[in-house]
Amino acid sequence: MRGKNIIIGICGGIAAYKIPQLVRLLKKRGANVRVALTDGGTRFVSELALATVSGEPVYRKIFPPMDTENMDYTRHITLGEWADALVIAPATANTLAKLTAGLCDDMLSVIFITLRPAKPVLIFPAMDGQMFLSPSVQRNIATLAAQGCTIINPESGELASGLCGLGRMPEPEAILASLEEVLHTTENISPLSGKSVVVTAGPTREKIDGVRFISNYSSGKMGFAVARAAAKRGALVTLITGPVHLDTPPGVKRIDVESAAEMHDAAQKFFRSCSIFIGAAAVADYRPAAPCEGKIKKDAQEMELSLVRNPDILAEFSLQKSSGQLAIGFALEMESDIDNARKKLETKKLDLIAFNFFDHKTAGFEVDTNILTLIENQGTTTELPQLTKESAAERLLDAIEQRCTRT
Ligand code: C5P
């Protein structure tokens, strides 16, 4: 905490009375603390108490009184630039709605907007349990979380209303511990932070006629988990996906495509600019040579479908990539076919391939878990145990991070 600049935003909830104690704890650890108090907050905790423990004026109004000497007319911007972290505790339903909407009518809401990107914001909602669980509060919390804020849910216990239940703000010691943890994580910045990562995911559909297609059972879960994990590490992620029933992970730019040709066109635009290309899509290897416009009639007893090869998107990227770019692929094979995965690593000239066998229960398409073996072109092979696709994606990204720091 030593030397860290922390702004604490206090809203009008009864838990505000605990914040001078938090300020003292932070000061004791060597942090510089400034306090932004909403109008509601002034009803629960005194400005004088906060100014005394922080050793700084308390910030409330955007428009400063004009009678003070050495007035700082741009403090609505400079405070957001000054802060290493913003802690909003207690956060009321009203302030959550304001922050979600982007309103700026007091110092706290304007600091929230002007805070430098990537600086952590910790929000501690504290209110009556029914209020907290209301659809509007939950929607606003979800929006703020998707924007990258860390939301620490209230605890259960005695409430000011005399009721017992969900809604209590954590104690100042617990708030301090959460802040320390978040600062620690953001300071250990991932080598993927700010890097452009393209992930392909899901199946492709290859048109036979206007109503029929060839496809496969890929659910897109693995690719989406990879995109989510990369975005969490600060990468600028573009997810090019075939038709799937999955929500876009927070902070990820999604491009929906249908056929391998469309996926190829979308991916090609990033071949030069991306740092890392991760091919997790189950791209159809072949497409009908001459798809019909209408609907093929079932007049004949037999029919032949002529297929032509689709472009290999990942191999194409890999063959033209520069030395600073990484190409990562997946190889879905039968359990015994790990050598095939090694061959693909070589022929496609990849930096790493995730060998992924399918048994339909613990690994492969549609299921929520996977068993990956990470094979690197520099010789190392890491067998992962059965993991959720989310955890498997994290482990794959750990390996990619290591590659980034080595190259
Ligand atoms: O050759 P195979 O299809 O098994 O290779 C698998 C890897 O290549 C996967 O990473 C997949 O996303 C990628 N791929 C591709 N374009 C294709 C076929 C596969 O990008 N047409």
Side-chain angles (χ1 to χ4, degrees):
M1 277 295 156
R2 187 151 301 281
K4 288 274 172 306
N5 296 336
I6 310 296
I7 296 186
I8 305 181
I10 309 175
C11 311
I14 178 63
Y17 83 90
K18 295 182 181 174
I19 300 301
Q21 175 63 7
L22 173 63
V23 177
R24 292 210 64 180
L25 291 172
L26 282 163
K27 295 282 288 181
K28 264 195 197 158
R29 306 243 166 168
N32 308 309
V33 184
R34 293 181 181 172
V35 174
L37 191 60
T38 66
D39 277 350
T42 61
R43 311 297 291 264
F44 292 97
V45 61
S46 107
E47 226 173 306
L48 183 60
L50 290 163
T52 308
V53 285
S54 69
E56 297 270 353
V58 169
Y59 297 92
R60 287 187 51 211
K61 305 274 183 216
I62 297 179
F63 303 108
M66 300 303 289
D67 52 2
T68 333
E69 264 181 50
N70 304 321
M71 194 54 231
D72 175 3
Y73 294 103
T74 55
R75 61 184 192 158
H76 66 291
I77 304 166
T78 46
L79 276 172
E81 285 178 348
W82 174 85
D84 291 314
L86 171 63
V87 177
I88 305 180
T92 53
N94 182 52
T95 292
L96 290 172
K98 276 184 8 183
L99 301 185
T100 307
L103 294 181
C104 287
D105 61 355
D106 56 17
M107 280 305 273
L108 173 54
S109 47
V110 86
I111 289 167
F112 176 75
I113 296 258
T114 57
L115 198 72
R116 281 276 165 88
K119 296 289 178 198
V121 179
L122 281 82
I123 299 181
F124 293 81
M127 62 196 77
D128 163 73
Q130 287 309 320
M131 275 178 89
F132 177 70
L133 294 172
S134 75
S136 29
V137 168
Q138 288 301 311
R139 184 195 59 219
N140 293 337
I141 284 177
T143 305
L144 292 167
Q147 269 174 239
C149 299
T150 302
I151 312 284
I152 314 277
N153 280 338
E155 296 170 351
S156 283
E158 258 178 53
L159 300 174
S161 58
L163 297 173
C164 210
L166 187 68
R168 275 172 70 93
M169 187 182 77
E171 293 301 322
E173 290 76 9
I175 295 179
L176 175 67
S178 301
L179 176 60
E180 278 176 330
E181 194 186 317
V182 169
L183 279 173
H184 179 76
T185 325
T186 43
E187 271 161 16
N188 291 325
I189 291 172
S190 158
L192 298 183
S193 176
K195 285 213 159 78
S196 154
V197 174
V198 172
V199 182
T200 65
T204 63
R205 283 181 182 172
E206 310 302 323
K207 231 169 134 180
I208 299 173
D209 64 14
V211 292
R212 303 181 180 98
F213 55 80
I214 300 175
S215 192
N216 57 61
Y217 290 111
S218 168
S219 63
K221 285 177 188 166
M222 193 63 226
F224 273 58
V226 170
R228 179 189 302 273
K232 258 174 48 191
R233 294 172 195 230
L236 310 169
V237 182
T238 305
L239 175 62
I240 305 173
T241 178
V244 294
H245 301 282
L246 296 171
D247 293 332
T248 312
V252 166
K253 185 176 154 217
R254 171 173 177 167
I255 300 174
D256 286 288
V257 295
E258 209 164 290
S259 64
E262 283 173 23
M263 187 172 276
H264 180 239
D265 285 353
Q268 257 187 336
K269 298 194 175 94
F270 299 93
F271 277 5
R272 279 186 167 279
S273 59
C274 75
S275 304
I276 302 166
F277 189 95
I278 308 176
V283 186
D285 292 325
Y286 295 91
R287 67 177 181 278
C292 304
E293 272 311 315
K295 186 181 170 199
I296 300 171
K297 300 274 177 295
K298 54 169 187 255
D299 302 332
Q301 279 308 315
E302 282 181 23
M303 75 171 280
E304 278 185 14
L305 196 58
S306 173
L307 301 175
V308 290
R309 275 292 286 271
N310 270 329
D312 191 312
I313 306 167
L314 179 60
E316 204 179 297
F317 166 75
S318 203
L319 290 175
Q320 62 89 67
K321 80 183 171 78
S322 63
S323 58
Q325 293 178 301
L326 291 179
I328 316 293
F330 279 78
L332 184 77
E333 307 283 347
M334 304 291 285
E335 191 167 4
S336 54
D337 280 341
I338 189 156
D339 285 341
N340 255 357
R342 286 208 173 88
K343 243 184 243 155
K344 278 183 191 171
L345 178 81
E346 277 165 34
T347 48
K348 294 191 193 223
K349 299 211 175 333
L350 305 181
D351 296 281
L352 186 156
I353 200 157
F355 164 61
N356 171 194
F357 72 87
F358 57 100
D359 64 5
H360 301 297
K361 285 191 260 4
T362 55
F365 286 152
E366 286 182 317
V367 291
D368 290 325
T369 55
N370 219 346
I371 304 172
L372 299 183
T373 300
L374 308 181
I375 313 169
E376 296 199 42
N377 63 347
Q378 292 167 352
T380 42
T381 297
T382 315
E383 280 182 40
L384 302 180
Q386 182 187 342
L387 295 167
T388 61
K389 286 186 172 167
E390 271 67 31
S391 305
E394 295 289 353
R395 299 288 291 272
L396 170 64
L397 284 162
D398 288 346
I400 298 174
E401 275 188 356
Q402 282 176 16
R403 280 302 286 260
C404 290
T405 41
R406 280 206 302 267
T407 47

